[in-house]
Amino acid sequence: MGRVYNFSAGPAVLPEEVLKEAADEMLDYKGTGMSVMEMSHRSKAYEEIIKTAEQDLRDLMNIPDNYKVLFLQGGASQQFAMIPMNLMKNKVADYIITGQWAKKAYQEAQIYGKANAIASSADKTFSYIPDCSDLPISEDADYVYICENNTIYGTKFKTLPNTKGKTLVADVSSCFLSEPVDVTKYGVIYGGVQKNVGPAGVVIVIIREDLITEDTLPGTPTMLKYKVHADNGSLYNTPPAYGIYICGKVFKWLKKMGGLEVMKQRNEEKAKILYDFLDESKMFKGTVRKEDRSLMNVPFVTGDEELDAKFVKEAKAAGFENLKGHRTVGGMRASIYNAMPKEGVEALVEFMKKFEAENTK
């Protein structure tokens, strides 16, 4: 069995050359006589790995000097608590609910203060992004929170909300590094890396320095204080060392590919192949309002659960893995992150055409 086309939502496909390089270095990293997996996080060799990874990410995203880059653990879900613990000075925050992860973040914030759901697309199964140009932003809100790309539902904010001067916090887990981004528009931009950047176990937090203070909510554990990690260069405790090393390789790969402008063009081209087919197909339908479609996650259905199941089963047999939709939506979902080659999307569309022809009476 060779490599399959892996459409998983995360942990997800990684660039093949990154995996090959990691394999080559598995037993002996650059003459150290050991694997990065076995290496002290306090060693010279590892210090170079994490510093280079941070610098490459700063280059890719043009991260200004007044933002810290933190490599943390606990996935994006731990940030649901860490954000209010560190940022809720007035104990008020506004949340825009465009999917399951925004909803979970909102529920978590309610433990720490007054979280307001100021907009939501739950009325139509999160199949669109609400208009965020003039929302009832709370006078004393500490921040406004969004999940920028919704992995499960396949929607993406094309325009950031008007936060009326309040700090914007964004979970970008599933669109991280898929296109250029203006970091200065955010107070905090963060993402779990297991979708577009590396193996599960690392979350990257990019946070403006003025938001990093000693003044956290009472009872905040030491490990959940941004200041502790920022002051210690993400080495306060043993970091997810091997995961960060792989992320660093992916950053190098992205630079080699030409950076985020090039990735955006590639991603638009790939997504267009699939969306164009969905728009003309009689059998398969996309589930998202056109103007809000994600470039990364593409949910689609036939409208018949049995047919959906048959499709997923036959697709798997043909080498297309992880196309089953999230349990809350059903149907199918193709996640086509940076590392998914265009040929993978073209092959999927060919398979869908064939399936449609064979299953149309």
Side-chain angles (χ1 to χ4, degrees), residues 55-130:
Q55 191 53 55
D56 284 338
L57 181 61
R58 284 184 175 278
D59 295 346
L60 280 165
M61 292 178 75
N62 298 316
I63 299 173
D65 291 343
N66 65 324
Y67 283 74
K68 290 275 193 226
V69 173
L70 308 175
F71 294 95
L72 306 177
Q73 299 177 73
S77 296
Q78 184 138 293
Q79 293 304 308
F80 299 169
M82 204 161 169
I83 286 158
M85 283 175 163
N86 285 269
L87 303 190
M88 258 194 180
K89 313 296 185 202
N90 303 322
K91 298 254 185 110
V92 179
D94 290 347
Y95 281 71
I96 297 168
I97 317 290
T98 50
Q100 193 161 312
W101 304 112
K103 187 176 167 187
K104 285 188 172 175
Y106 160 69
Q107 288 166 337
E108 191 78 6
Q110 290 170 346
I111 299 169
Y112 303 103
K114 187 171 188 297
N116 305 302
I118 55 167
S120 170
S121 53
D123 61 332
K124 293 184 178 157
T125 328
F126 302 121
S127 59
Y128 70 102
I129 298 287

Side-chain angles (χ1 to χ4, degrees), residues 86-247:
N86 285 269
L87 303 190
M88 258 194 180
K89 313 296 185 202
N90 303 322
K91 298 254 185 110
V92 179
D94 290 347
Y95 281 71
I96 297 168
I97 317 290
T98 50
Q100 193 161 312
W101 304 112
K103 187 176 167 187
K104 285 188 172 175
Y106 160 69
Q107 288 166 337
E108 191 78 6
Q110 290 170 346
I111 299 169
Y112 303 103
K114 187 171 188 297
N116 305 302
I118 55 167
S120 170
S121 53
D123 61 332
K124 293 184 178 157
T125 328
F126 302 121
S127 59
Y128 70 102
I129 298 287
D131 177 2
C132 298
S133 57
D134 186 19
L135 294 172
I137 307 281
S138 312
E139 285 286 296
D140 51 353
D142 292 300
Y143 58 87
V144 176
Y145 182 101
I146 62 169
C147 180
E148 197 165 317
N149 186 87
N150 297 286
T151 322
I152 295 174
Y153 301 97
T155 57
K156 164 84 162 67
F157 280 82
K158 303 292 166 76
T159 310
L160 292 174
N162 172 7
T163 64
K164 303 184 180 175
K166 302 295 183 190
T167 298
L168 179 65
V169 175
D171 173 355
V172 297
S173 296
S174 52
C175 59
F176 206 27
L177 302 178
S178 63
E179 58 181 32
V181 56
D182 180 355
V183 175
T184 63
K185 289 183 175 166
Y186 307 81
V188 181
I189 180 168
Y190 79 91
V193 304
Q194 72 277 9
K195 297 168 185 298
N196 226 1
V197 191
V202 185
V203 58
I204 295 173
V205 176
I206 301 161
I207 177 169
R208 210 172 57 227
E209 282 175 348
D210 61 287
L211 299 171
I212 303 173
T213 62
E214 299 277 6
D215 174 26
T216 55
L217 295 185
T220 300
T222 305
M223 275 294 289
L224 296 189
K225 293 179 178 176
Y226 288 129
K227 190 162 179 15
V228 168
H229 296 289
D231 289 351
N232 290 282
S234 300
L235 295 168
Y236 170 72
N237 70 322
T238 311
Y242 195 81
I244 294 167
Y245 153 77
I246 300 288
C247 292

